Amino acid sequence: MSATETQLVKYFMKKSRLSAAKFPIGIGDDMAQVKLHKNDSVLITTDMLLDGTHFDTKKTSLEKIGYKSMAASLSDCAAMATIPLAAVVSVALPRNFGAKNLKKLHAGILSAAKKYNCPLIGGDMTSWNEPLAVSVSMLSTPGKTKPVQRSTARLGDVICVTGNLGGSIIKRHLEFQPRIKEALTIAEAGANSMMDVSDGLSTDLNHICRLSKKAAIIDAAKIPVSKDAETLQNALNDGEDFELLFTISPKNFERLKKNWKFKKVKLTAIGKITKGDSAKIKMLDNKILNLFPDGYDHLKRIVK
Amino acid sequence: MSATETQLVKYFMKKSRLSAAKFPIGIGDDMAQVKLHKNDSVLITTDMLLDGTHFDTKKTSLEKIGYKSMAASLSDCAAMATIPLAAVVSVALPRNFGAKNLKKLHAGILSAAKKYNCPLIGGDMTSWNEPLAVSVSMLSTPGKTKPVQRSTARLGDVICVTGNLGGSIIKRHLEFQPRIKEALTIAEAGANSMMDVSDGLSTDLNHICRLSKKAAIIDAAKIPVSKDAETLQNALNDGEDFELLFTISPKNFERLKKNWKFKKVKLTAIGKITKGDSAKIKMLDNKILNLFPDGYDHLKRIVK
């Protein structure tokens, strides 16, 4: 059998059959949304970060690992244009990890918690003879707008990204700033769909297309390539950019751009939402190619 | 340095300094509680379950592992007398785990989700060259009463447990029934404090004493020893009973017992809350000994 992460997520969505009244947003988006009795709603995300995959305890300080673990979930809160509320963290600690190391990891977690006003309110500590694993689950609440989903891109929307893409592995993946405030501003300007670029632009834009039942064409010449990225391929396919990818009507995009107050974070229009169901890219020689999802697939190597 | 799990939790509590208005229950209980804008509140717990520690993939089916992972968090919902709402699950999968195995694990998760009306609404899948780790985070809402905490035992309370204790490792730890409905009934009868017995009665009763600033005396002759437990020591110190440990006024206990409708789950009074700050046990020869927390300490072996 050949199944990728996307196919498995489809399978899980089908099996869960969630009530749309109680769970307006379910499996398959950056966060799930739960409606409560008095009409409050809360969103939740969970991320598992592993030694050797998402960080390397041999090369990286535990403070940075703690920060990144929180920042990845904070980026999910941003992806939906929601306000972080609180986090819980469960850890699998290698034996002989020691209280001193645990406090360093905790200090990194708290540094992100404080910076983004998202307190650590609980957790679970276990130990084993294996490497470090950190699982963060985070709650958020909607801002002034409804949470912005992946599945709601509209025909004619401008496709935009914040910041620069590619080469995050060099160091940005440990120090990135989740785009919480930027996302709230983008949502208030009328963004139709949004997600964070965690698996690479090529993969993530295809998620928006598939879920929105639309096509997209992006312009290779316009992609903001990070100085850490060696090639356009890196900008398209490297994971862990943790920038925002969103779609918005051309009119709203012009207004957003005019009023944009985050001087250090650039906004770039890279393409358009069109009819169809897949993503394409116009190369520098004007050839139009399919933009295959060649970013990071967490299961590509494990699923047979 | 010599620190146990309890000391570290104290350290984390101190560092988080949570607003009591926004977070009526914070670090150190079975779940944390978050107040929302319109006065709804939601509780959250997280648990990390590891191959070789909480389950053994060589001996146990992935369906049972999935069930247990959910049931452990459901037991936390019961511990606070709250109603399970939804769960998210993040997994670290060994490479070559395969889609078929993932679907088995998922089926076990869903079986608990369906049985306890707590749908799976999201997750995260990652892979590495190490064994299986499963992290469940679960949301709940208060029932008719406030969530019942560990820290609110009162002088003169009867100390009670549901079911039988000890020897859970033989098989009960994989198949236990979280005491959700029982807990709601116990809370409505006026329980003052409650938790689930996950680290062993001796450890967990000491948590209630320490957090409530009270002492306790239990009667060895009254402890309901499971048929799977070889000795009283097992009933006192084995982990993963996932029964309820609660304290309640003698009058309310009599009423609770009279109206108890869960025929398959017995209720046993095992002692009393007294003045002081530690737990004691009256042995069969009437000698009174200190009941030291000799249950499972997740960090005893890792913290130096």
Side-chain angles (χ1 to χ4, degrees), chain A residues 65-99:
Chain A
I65 292 169
Y67 175 87
K68 178 181 178 173
S69 305
M70 285 286 283
S73 289
L74 287 161
S75 186
D76 284 327
C77 297
M80 308 289 299
T82 60
I83 301 167
L85 186 60
V88 292
V89 179
S90 62
V91 289
L93 305 170
R95 295 215 205 282
N96 304 314
F97 192 71

PDB file of all heavy atoms in Angstrom, chain A residues 65-99:
ATOM      1  N   ILE A  65      15.534  24.384  22.451  1.00  0.00           N
ATOM      2  CA  ILE A  65      14.602  23.288  22.149  1.00  0.00           C
ATOM      3  C   ILE A  65      13.247  23.565  22.801  1.00  0.00           C
ATOM      4  O   ILE A  65      12.190  23.382  22.180  1.00  0.00           O
ATOM      5  CB  ILE A  65      15.194  21.940  22.624  1.00  0.00           C
ATOM      6  CG1 ILE A  65      16.415  21.592  21.754  1.00  0.00           C
ATOM      7  CG2 ILE A  65      14.147  20.830  22.595  1.00  0.00           C
ATOM      8  CD1 ILE A  65      17.251  20.427  22.276  1.00  0.00           C
ATOM      9  N   GLY A  66      13.271  24.054  24.039  1.00  0.00           N
ATOM     10  CA  GLY A  66      12.023  24.416  24.719  1.00  0.00           C
ATOM     11  C   GLY A  66      11.300  25.533  23.985  1.00  0.00           C
ATOM     12  O   GLY A  66      10.089  25.468  23.765  1.00  0.00           O
ATOM     13  N   TYR A  67      12.070  26.556  23.578  1.00  0.00           N
ATOM     14  CA  TYR A  67      11.471  27.680  22.844  1.00  0.00           C
ATOM     15  C   TYR A  67      10.826  27.198  21.552  1.00  0.00           C
ATOM     16  O   TYR A  67       9.674  27.498  21.251  1.00  0.00           O
ATOM     17  CB  TYR A  67      12.530  28.746  22.529  1.00  0.00           C
ATOM     18  CG  TYR A  67      11.985  29.879  21.675  1.00  0.00           C
ATOM     19  CD1 TYR A  67      11.364  30.974  22.260  1.00  0.00           C
ATOM     20  CD2 TYR A  67      12.044  29.814  20.281  1.00  0.00           C
ATOM     21  CE1 TYR A  67      10.824  31.991  21.478  1.00  0.00           C
ATOM     22  CE2 TYR A  67      11.501  30.826  19.492  1.00  0.00           C
ATOM     23  CZ  TYR A  67      10.898  31.906  20.091  1.00  0.00           C
ATOM     24  OH  TYR A  67      10.350  32.909  19.320  1.00  0.00           O
ATOM     25  N   LYS A  68      11.569  26.392  20.785  1.00  0.00           N
ATOM     26  CA  LYS A  68      11.047  25.937  19.494  1.00  0.00           C
ATOM     27  C   LYS A  68       9.778  25.107  19.659  1.00  0.00           C
ATOM     28  O   LYS A  68       8.847  25.219  18.861  1.00  0.00           O
ATOM     29  CB  LYS A  68      12.097  25.106  18.748  1.00  0.00           C
ATOM     30  CG  LYS A  68      11.549  24.589  17.415  1.00  0.00           C
ATOM     31  CD  LYS A  68      12.499  23.738  16.618  1.00  0.00           C
ATOM     32  CE  LYS A  68      11.773  23.262  15.351  1.00  0.00           C
ATOM     33  NZ  LYS A  68      12.660  22.549  14.419  1.00  0.00           N
ATOM     34  N   SER A  69       9.752  24.262  20.696  1.00  0.00           N
ATOM     35  CA  SER A  69       8.589  23.388  20.907  1.00  0.00           C
ATOM     36  C   SER A  69       7.325  24.220  21.086  1.00  0.00           C
ATOM     37  O   SER A  69       6.267  23.898  20.542  1.00  0.00           O
ATOM     38  CB  SER A  69       8.798  22.502  22.137  1.00  0.00           C
ATOM     39  OG  SER A  69      10.003  21.773  21.999  1.00  0.00           O
ATOM     40  N   MET A  70       7.439  25.291  21.869  1.00  0.00           N
ATOM     41  CA  MET A  70       6.292  26.181  22.052  1.00  0.00           C
ATOM     42  C   MET A  70       6.009  26.971  20.785  1.00  0.00           C
ATOM     43  O   MET A  70       4.858  27.160  20.392  1.00  0.00           O
ATOM     44  CB  MET A  70       6.582  27.160  23.192  1.00  0.00           C
ATOM     45  CG  MET A  70       6.497  26.563  24.556  1.00  0.00           C
ATOM     46  SD  MET A  70       4.790  26.252  25.093  1.00  0.00           S
ATOM     47  CE  MET A  70       4.283  27.919  25.517  1.00  0.00           C
ATOM     48  N   ALA A  71       7.074  27.462  20.139  1.00  0.00           N
ATOM     49  CA  ALA A  71       6.901  28.344  18.980  1.00  0.00           C
ATOM     50  C   ALA A  71       6.189  27.627  17.834  1.00  0.00           C
ATOM     51  O   ALA A  71       5.412  28.235  17.096  1.00  0.00           O
ATOM     52  CB  ALA A  71       8.256  28.887  18.525  1.00  0.00           C
ATOM     53  N   ALA A  72       6.419  26.307  17.704  1.00  0.00           N
ATOM     54  CA  ALA A  72       5.756  25.555  16.632  1.00  0.00           C
ATOM     55  C   ALA A  72       4.243  25.580  16.832  1.00  0.00           C
ATOM     56  O   ALA A  72       3.486  25.765  15.866  1.00  0.00           O
ATOM     57  CB  ALA A  72       6.272  24.116  16.605  1.00  0.00           C
ATOM     58  N   SER A  73       3.802  25.430  18.082  1.00  0.00           N
ATOM     59  CA  SER A  73       2.355  25.468  18.341  1.00  0.00           C
ATOM     60  C   SER A  73       1.819  26.892  18.266  1.00  0.00           C
ATOM     61  O   SER A  73       0.691  27.121  17.807  1.00  0.00           O
ATOM     62  CB  SER A  73       2.043  24.863  19.710  1.00  0.00           C
ATOM     63  OG  SER A  73       2.247  23.461  19.684  1.00  0.00           O
ATOM     64  N   LEU A  74       2.623  27.848  18.714  1.00  0.00           N
ATOM     65  CA  LEU A  74       2.223  29.260  18.588  1.00  0.00           C
ATOM     66  C   LEU A  74       2.008  29.620  17.121  1.00  0.00           C
ATOM     67  O   LEU A  74       1.102  30.386  16.776  1.00  0.00           O
ATOM     68  CB  LEU A  74       3.280  30.170  19.223  1.00  0.00           C
ATOM     69  CG  LEU A  74       3.315  30.158  20.758  1.00  0.00           C
ATOM     70  CD1 LEU A  74       4.640  30.695  21.287  1.00  0.00           C
ATOM     71  CD2 LEU A  74       2.149  30.956  21.338  1.00  0.00           C
ATOM     72  N   SER A  75       2.836  29.040  16.253  1.00  0.00           N
ATOM     73  CA  SER A  75       2.694  29.291  14.821  1.00  0.00           C
ATOM     74  C   SER A  75       1.368  28.718  14.299  1.00  0.00           C
ATOM     75  O   SER A  75       0.761  29.271  13.372  1.00  0.00           O
ATOM     76  CB  SER A  75       3.885  28.706  14.065  1.00  0.00           C
ATOM     77  OG  SER A  75       3.829  29.055  12.701  1.00  0.00           O
ATOM     78  N   ASP A  76       0.896  27.629  14.913  1.00  0.00           N
ATOM     79  CA  ASP A  76      -0.426  27.092  14.546  1.00  0.00           C
ATOM     80  C   ASP A  76      -1.536  28.057  14.965  1.00  0.00           C
ATOM     81  O   ASP A  76      -2.526  28.222  14.241  1.00  0.00           O
ATOM     82  CB  ASP A  76      -0.673  25.736  15.223  1.00  0.00           C
ATOM     83  CG  ASP A  76       0.097  24.603  14.550  1.00  0.00           C
ATOM     84  OD1 ASP A  76       0.279  24.656  13.315  1.00  0.00           O
ATOM     85  OD2 ASP A  76       0.506  23.671  15.261  1.00  0.00           O
ATOM     86  N   CYS A  77      -1.368  28.671  16.142  1.00  0.00           N
ATOM     87  CA  CYS A  77      -2.354  29.679  16.584  1.00  0.00           C
ATOM     88  C   CYS A  77      -2.393  30.817  15.571  1.00  0.00           C
ATOM     89  O   CYS A  77      -3.463  31.310  15.197  1.00  0.00           O
ATOM     90  CB  CYS A  77      -2.001  30.240  17.962  1.00  0.00           C
ATOM     91  SG  CYS A  77      -2.012  29.034  19.294  1.00  0.00           S
ATOM     92  N   ALA A  78      -1.193  31.242  15.109  1.00  0.00           N
ATOM     93  CA  ALA A  78      -1.108  32.304  14.103  1.00  0.00           C
ATOM     94  C   ALA A  78      -1.762  31.866  12.801  1.00  0.00           C
ATOM     95  O   ALA A  78      -2.513  32.611  12.181  1.00  0.00           O
ATOM     96  CB  ALA A  78       0.347  32.684  13.867  1.00  0.00           C
ATOM     97  N   ALA A  79      -1.495  30.626  12.411  1.00  0.00           N
ATOM     98  CA  ALA A  79      -2.006  30.101  11.144  1.00  0.00           C
ATOM     99  C   ALA A  79      -3.523  30.246  11.031  1.00  0.00           C
ATOM    100  O   ALA A  79      -4.059  30.411   9.939  1.00  0.00           O
ATOM    101  CB  ALA A  79      -1.608  28.634  10.993  1.00  0.00           C
ATOM    102  N   MET A  80      -4.230  30.185  12.165  1.00  0.00           N
ATOM    103  CA  MET A  80      -5.687  30.310  12.174  1.00  0.00           C
ATOM    104  C   MET A  80      -6.122  31.731  12.527  1.00  0.00           C
ATOM    105  O   MET A  80      -7.319  31.993  12.666  1.00  0.00           O
ATOM    106  CB  MET A  80      -6.298  29.371  13.234  1.00  0.00           C
ATOM    107  CG  MET A  80      -5.880  27.926  13.197  1.00  0.00           C
ATOM    108  SD  MET A  80      -6.528  26.996  11.793  1.00  0.00           S
ATOM    109  CE  MET A  80      -8.296  27.102  12.031  1.00  0.00           C
ATOM    110  N   ALA A  81      -5.166  32.649  12.727  1.00  0.00           N
ATOM    111  CA  ALA A  81      -5.455  34.007  13.202  1.00  0.00           C
ATOM    112  C   ALA A  81      -6.201  33.975  14.531  1.00  0.00           C
ATOM    113  O   ALA A  81      -7.271  34.570  14.679  1.00  0.00           O
ATOM    114  CB  ALA A  81      -6.230  34.802  12.159  1.00  0.00           C
ATOM    115  N   THR A  82      -5.637  33.249  15.487  1.00  0.00           N
ATOM    116  CA  THR A  82      -6.246  33.162  16.815  1.00  0.00           C
ATOM    117  C   THR A  82      -5.256  33.628  17.882  1.00  0.00           C
ATOM    118  O   THR A  82      -4.062  33.762  17.606  1.00  0.00           O
ATOM    119  CB  THR A  82      -6.692  31.723  17.133  1.00  0.00           C
ATOM    120  OG1 THR A  82      -5.542  30.853  17.104  1.00  0.00           O
ATOM    121  CG2 THR A  82      -7.729  31.236  16.128  1.00  0.00           C
ATOM    122  N   ILE A  83      -5.767  33.838  19.080  1.00  0.00           N
ATOM    123  CA  ILE A  83      -4.963  34.391  20.176  1.00  0.00           C
ATOM    124  C   ILE A  83      -4.572  33.271  21.144  1.00  0.00           C
ATOM    125  O   ILE A  83      -5.441  32.622  21.730  1.00  0.00           O
ATOM    126  CB  ILE A  83      -5.773  35.472  20.923  1.00  0.00           C
ATOM    127  CG1 ILE A  83      -6.175  36.590  19.950  1.00  0.00           C
ATOM    128  CG2 ILE A  83      -4.976  36.030  22.100  1.00  0.00           C
ATOM    129  CD1 ILE A  83      -7.236  37.534  20.490  1.00  0.00           C
ATOM    130  N   PRO A  84      -3.267  33.012  21.321  1.00  0.00           N
ATOM    131  CA  PRO A  84      -2.831  31.943  22.225  1.00  0.00           C
ATOM    132  C   PRO A  84      -3.363  32.170  23.636  1.00  0.00           C
ATOM    133  O   PRO A  84      -3.444  33.307  24.104  1.00  0.00           O
ATOM    134  CB  PRO A  84      -1.303  32.073  22.202  1.00  0.00           C
ATOM    135  CG  PRO A  84      -0.986  32.793  20.941  1.00  0.00           C
ATOM    136  CD  PRO A  84      -2.144  33.715  20.700  1.00  0.00           C
ATOM    137  N   LEU A  85      -3.741  31.073  24.287  1.00  0.00           N
ATOM    138  CA  LEU A  85      -4.406  31.163  25.587  1.00  0.00           C
ATOM    139  C   LEU A  85      -3.581  30.468  26.664  1.00  0.00           C
ATOM    140  O   LEU A  85      -3.352  31.013  27.740  1.00  0.00           O
ATOM    141  CB  LEU A  85      -5.777  30.482  25.443  1.00  0.00           C
ATOM    142  CG  LEU A  85      -6.749  30.531  26.586  1.00  0.00           C
ATOM    143  CD1 LEU A  85      -7.094  31.967  26.929  1.00  0.00           C
ATOM    144  CD2 LEU A  85      -8.024  29.763  26.204  1.00  0.00           C
ATOM    145  N   ALA A  86      -3.155  29.246  26.408  1.00  0.00           N
ATOM    146  CA  ALA A  86      -2.423  28.468  27.414  1.00  0.00           C
ATOM    147  C   ALA A  86      -1.866  27.220  26.746  1.00  0.00           C
ATOM    148  O   ALA A  86      -2.358  26.788  25.707  1.00  0.00           O
ATOM    149  CB  ALA A  86      -3.356  28.071  28.551  1.00  0.00           C
ATOM    150  N   ALA A  87      -0.834  26.643  27.378  1.00  0.00           N
ATOM    151  CA  ALA A  87      -0.212  25.433  26.825  1.00  0.00           C
ATOM    152  C   ALA A  87       0.002  24.391  27.908  1.00  0.00           C
ATOM    153  O   ALA A  87       0.162  24.724  29.086  1.00  0.00           O
ATOM    154  CB  ALA A  87       1.128  25.786  26.187  1.00  0.00           C
ATOM    155  N   VAL A  88      -0.030  23.131  27.509  1.00  0.00           N
ATOM    156  CA  VAL A  88       0.429  22.024  28.361  1.00  0.00           C
ATOM    157  C   VAL A  88       1.528  21.293  27.592  1.00  0.00           C
ATOM    158  O   VAL A  88       1.506  21.248  26.364  1.00  0.00           O
ATOM    159  CB  VAL A  88      -0.717  21.046  28.724  1.00  0.00           C
ATOM    160  CG1 VAL A  88      -1.729  21.717  29.646  1.00  0.00           C
ATOM    161  CG2 VAL A  88      -1.408  20.488  27.488  1.00  0.00           C
ATOM    162  N   VAL A  89       2.484  20.757  28.322  1.00  0.00           N
ATOM    163  CA  VAL A  89       3.629  20.113  27.674  1.00  0.00           C
ATOM    164  C   VAL A  89       3.881  18.752  28.316  1.00  0.00           C
ATOM    165  O   VAL A  89       4.024  18.661  29.539  1.00  0.00           O
ATOM    166  CB  VAL A  89       4.904  20.977  27.816  1.00  0.00           C
ATOM    167  CG1 VAL A  89       6.096  20.287  27.164  1.00  0.00           C
ATOM    168  CG2 VAL A  89       4.698  22.362  27.207  1.00  0.00           C
ATOM    169  N   SER A  90       3.923  17.707  27.531  1.00  0.00           N
ATOM    170  CA  SER A  90       4.334  16.403  28.065  1.00  0.00           C
ATOM    171  C   SER A  90       5.684  16.032  27.464  1.00  0.00           C
ATOM    172  O   SER A  90       5.948  16.290  26.293  1.00  0.00           O
ATOM    173  CB  SER A  90       3.280  15.328  27.788  1.00  0.00           C
ATOM    174  OG  SER A  90       3.098  15.131  26.415  1.00  0.00           O
ATOM    175  N   VAL A  91       6.543  15.480  28.317  1.00  0.00           N
ATOM    176  CA  VAL A  91       7.902  15.167  27.865  1.00  0.00           C
ATOM    177  C   VAL A  91       8.261  13.717  28.157  1.00  0.00           C
ATOM    178  O   VAL A  91       7.870  13.160  29.182  1.00  0.00           O
ATOM    179  CB  VAL A  91       8.956  16.074  28.549  1.00  0.00           C
ATOM    180  CG1 VAL A  91       8.851  17.497  28.023  1.00  0.00           C
ATOM    181  CG2 VAL A  91       8.836  16.062  30.061  1.00  0.00           C
ATOM    182  N   ALA A  92       8.994  13.115  27.238  1.00  0.00           N
ATOM    183  CA  ALA A  92       9.626  11.817  27.471  1.00  0.00           C
ATOM    184  C   ALA A  92      11.111  12.116  27.635  1.00  0.00           C
ATOM    185  O   ALA A  92      11.767  12.582  26.700  1.00  0.00           O
ATOM    186  CB  ALA A  92       9.400  10.903  26.272  1.00  0.00           C
ATOM    187  N   LEU A  93      11.620  11.881  28.847  1.00  0.00           N
ATOM    188  CA  LEU A  93      13.004  12.258  29.158  1.00  0.00           C
ATOM    189  C   LEU A  93      13.910  11.042  29.133  1.00  0.00           C
ATOM    190  O   LEU A  93      13.554   9.989  29.664  1.00  0.00           O
ATOM    191  CB  LEU A  93      13.052  12.879  30.556  1.00  0.00           C
ATOM    192  CG  LEU A  93      12.125  14.067  30.797  1.00  0.00           C
ATOM    193  CD1 LEU A  93      12.096  14.414  32.283  1.00  0.00           C
ATOM    194  CD2 LEU A  93      12.577  15.263  29.977  1.00  0.00           C
ATOM    195  N   PRO A  94      15.084  11.182  28.523  1.00  0.00           N
ATOM    196  CA  PRO A  94      16.058  10.089  28.606  1.00  0.00           C
ATOM    197  C   PRO A  94      16.455   9.898  30.069  1.00  0.00           C
ATOM    198  O   PRO A  94      16.522  10.874  30.817  1.00  0.00           O
ATOM    199  CB  PRO A  94      17.254  10.615  27.818  1.00  0.00           C
ATOM    200  CG  PRO A  94      16.814  11.850  27.124  1.00  0.00           C
ATOM    201  CD  PRO A  94      15.612  12.363  27.829  1.00  0.00           C
ATOM    202  N   ARG A  95      16.687   8.668  30.499  1.00  0.00           N
ATOM    203  CA  ARG A  95      17.167   8.460  31.868  1.00  0.00           C
ATOM    204  C   ARG A  95      18.486   9.207  32.048  1.00  0.00           C
ATOM    205  O   ARG A  95      19.247   9.374  31.109  1.00  0.00           O
ATOM    206  CB  ARG A  95      17.389   6.973  32.122  1.00  0.00           C
ATOM    207  CG  ARG A  95      16.101   6.223  32.072  1.00  0.00           C
ATOM    208  CD  ARG A  95      16.015   5.073  33.021  1.00  0.00           C
ATOM    209  NE  ARG A  95      15.044   4.110  32.495  1.00  0.00           N
ATOM    210  CZ  ARG A  95      13.725   4.264  32.582  1.00  0.00           C
ATOM    211  NH1 ARG A  95      13.185   5.307  33.175  1.00  0.00           N
ATOM    212  NH2 ARG A  95      12.913   3.363  32.051  1.00  0.00           N
ATOM    213  N   ASN A  96      18.724   9.659  33.248  1.00  0.00           N
ATOM    214  CA  ASN A  96      19.900  10.476  33.572  1.00  0.00           C
ATOM    215  C   ASN A  96      19.856  11.863  32.943  1.00  0.00           C
ATOM    216  O   ASN A  96      20.860  12.543  32.842  1.00  0.00           O
ATOM    217  CB  ASN A  96      21.204   9.774  33.156  1.00  0.00           C
ATOM    218  CG  ASN A  96      21.290   8.420  33.805  1.00  0.00           C
ATOM    219  OD1 ASN A  96      21.035   8.286  34.993  1.00  0.00           O
ATOM    220  ND2 ASN A  96      21.621   7.401  33.029  1.00  0.00           N
ATOM    221  N   PHE A  97      18.669  12.283  32.530  1.00  0.00           N
ATOM    222  CA  PHE A  97      18.510  13.627  31.968  1.00  0.00           C
ATOM    223  C   PHE A  97      18.834  14.656  33.047  1.00  0.00           C
ATOM    224  O   PHE A  97      19.530  15.633  32.789  1.00  0.00           O
ATOM    225  CB  PHE A  97      17.066  13.791  31.489  1.00  0.00           C
ATOM    226  CG  PHE A  97      16.813  15.002  30.647  1.00  0.00           C
ATOM    227  CD1 PHE A  97      17.301  15.077  29.359  1.00  0.00           C
ATOM    228  CD2 PHE A  97      16.061  16.068  31.131  1.00  0.00           C
ATOM    229  CE1 PHE A  97      17.048  16.188  28.565  1.00  0.00           C
ATOM    230  CE2 PHE A  97      15.798  17.186  30.342  1.00  0.00           C
ATOM    231  CZ  PHE A  97      16.295  17.241  29.063  1.00  0.00           C
ATOM    232  N   GLY A  98      18.317  14.433  34.242  1.00  0.00           N
ATOM    233  CA  GLY A  98      18.671  15.303  35.365  1.00  0.00           C
ATOM    234  C   GLY A  98      17.774  16.509  35.519  1.00  0.00           C
ATOM    235  O   GLY A  98      17.243  17.047  34.540  1.00  0.00           O
ATOM    236  N   ALA A  99      17.605  16.930  36.778  1.00  0.00           N
ATOM    237  CA  ALA A  99      16.729  18.066  37.088  1.00  0.00           C
ATOM    238  C   ALA A  99      17.258  19.356  36.461  1.00  0.00           C
ATOM    239  O   ALA A  99      16.493  20.210  36.033  1.00  0.00           O
ATOM    240  CB  ALA A  99      16.604  18.229  38.598  1.00  0.00           C
TER     241      ALA A  99
END
